[in-house]
Amino acid sequence: MKVFDIRKDGLEAIRNHEREEITITGCLGERYIGCGMKDGILHVTGTPGNALASYLDGGTVLVDGNAQDAAADTMNSGLLAVKGSAGDALAYGMRGGRVYVLGDAGYRAGVHMKAYEDKKSILVIGGRAGSFLGEYLAGGIVIVLGLGYERKNITGYFCGNGMYAGTIYLRTEKEPLNLSDKLIKRIVSDEEKERVIRPIVTDFASVFSIPAERCLEGSFMAIEADKSKSYSQLYAAV
């Protein structure tokens, strides 16, 4: 495995090796790491800056630490896995692939995520998410596990505000704060939990080498758009 010190070698040298499995050390706020990466595996240590893995197009980015704002912005495919927490606007406009965050996420995670035919964006947050999670969600799946936040709210205010497609799954029994009357909240059946949630969460747990059953304990709540509301009929449901 090739190892780069980002402060000595620079981003251009790293981009020239993106088809390989490489490690970047010494990150301290550098932006656009892994941006548009099509293949290869990129291990990142330290704290990468804004727009980490933005426009990711098939590569794998593994972060042993935290990520700042706008990670996986408009991501198309591949995997971003953050062992720590992520900042605001995580997976904004994401169009496909998987984003896994073991810790928490800031405000407006999963805003305007999308799906098309068999291409579905997936966002899993191991801890809790800030306000406006899944705002204007247009497709895909968002799962918040609330690990370490049992008996507490695992989202901030206005979860799913303006969403018109896709599903948000919350591993909690607590009522989300300020939930819009244009959304439907329901308890997930055992059948749906096994069919939809288990495969995703099992993959998430495997990436971080944690017990999958711990992540699946308890009941899940689903939040979806109310298709009977007039504004949702303006969009194509996915």
Side-chain angles (χ1 to χ4, degrees):
M1 184 189 301
K2 180 74 173 176
V3 178
F4 291 89
D5 184 320
I6 194 167
R7 292 178 173 268
K8 293 180 180 178
D9 300 309
L11 281 174
E12 191 59 37
I14 294 167
R15 290 193 184 98
N16 291 335
H17 287 79
E18 71 172 20
R19 295 177 182 273
E20 304 175 10
E21 183 168 0
I22 64 176
T23 294
I24 301 177
T25 63
C27 287
L28 191 61
E30 288 82 5
R31 298 175 293 174
Y32 310 120
I33 294 173
C35 182
M37 185 173 160
K38 295 183 180 298
D39 46 29
I41 301 174
L42 185 61
H43 300 265
V44 182
T45 62
T47 304
N50 291 359
L52 169 75
S54 60
Y55 312 109
L56 190 68
D57 198 22
T60 296
V61 179
L62 307 173
V63 182
D64 188 9
N66 298 322
Q68 295 184 6
D69 298 342
D73 184 355
T74 324
M75 174 175 163
N76 191 51
S77 64
L79 168 65
L80 169 64
V82 179
K83 199 171 183 179
S85 295
D88 297 340
L90 172 70
Y92 182 96
M94 182 182 176
R95 298 177 292 187
R98 298 166 293 155
V99 172
Y100 295 160
V101 175
L102 184 57
D104 303 335
Y107 295 126
R108 289 191 159 87
V111 169
H112 219 308
M113 280 172 50
K114 303 170 178 66
Y116 179 71
E117 294 182 345
D118 62 344
K119 193 165 188 175
K120 184 170 291 186
S121 50
I122 295 173
L123 169 62
V124 183
I125 299 166
R128 73 179 303 276
S131 297
F132 300 101
L133 170 72
E135 186 180 34
Y136 307 121
L137 191 70
I141 294 174
V142 177
I143 300 176
V144 183
L145 298 173
L147 299 172
Y149 292 96
E150 285 73 15
R151 300 181 182 178
K152 297 181 181 179
N153 289 103
I154 63 172
T155 64
Y157 295 100
F158 307 112
C159 176
N161 215 38
M163 68 181 286
Y164 49 89
T167 306
I168 299 172
Y169 293 104
L170 307 176
R171 193 180 70 92
T172 185
E173 296 179 356
K174 290 186 72 67
E175 181 80 17
L177 301 170
N178 296 92
L179 196 67
S180 169
D181 62 1
K182 293 182 173 62
L183 302 176
I184 292 174
K185 178 196 68 177
R186 58 180 176 81
I187 300 301
V188 175
S189 68
D190 291 340
E191 185 278 332
E192 184 178 1
K193 182 178 178 180
E194 291 298 310
R195 174 175 51 85
V196 179
I197 298 175
R198 178 177 286 278
I200 297 172
V201 171
T202 299
D203 186 52
F204 169 89
S206 175
V207 167
F208 294 117
S209 300
I210 61 174
E213 293 305 318
R214 169 69 182 87
C215 303
L216 290 163
E217 289 176 350
S219 60
F220 282 78
M221 177 188 305
I223 297 173
E224 295 173 318
D226 185 346
K227 301 302 182 184
S228 69
K229 301 297 183 179
S230 58
Y231 79 87
S232 68
Q233 299 170 14
L234 300 174
Y235 301 94
V238 178

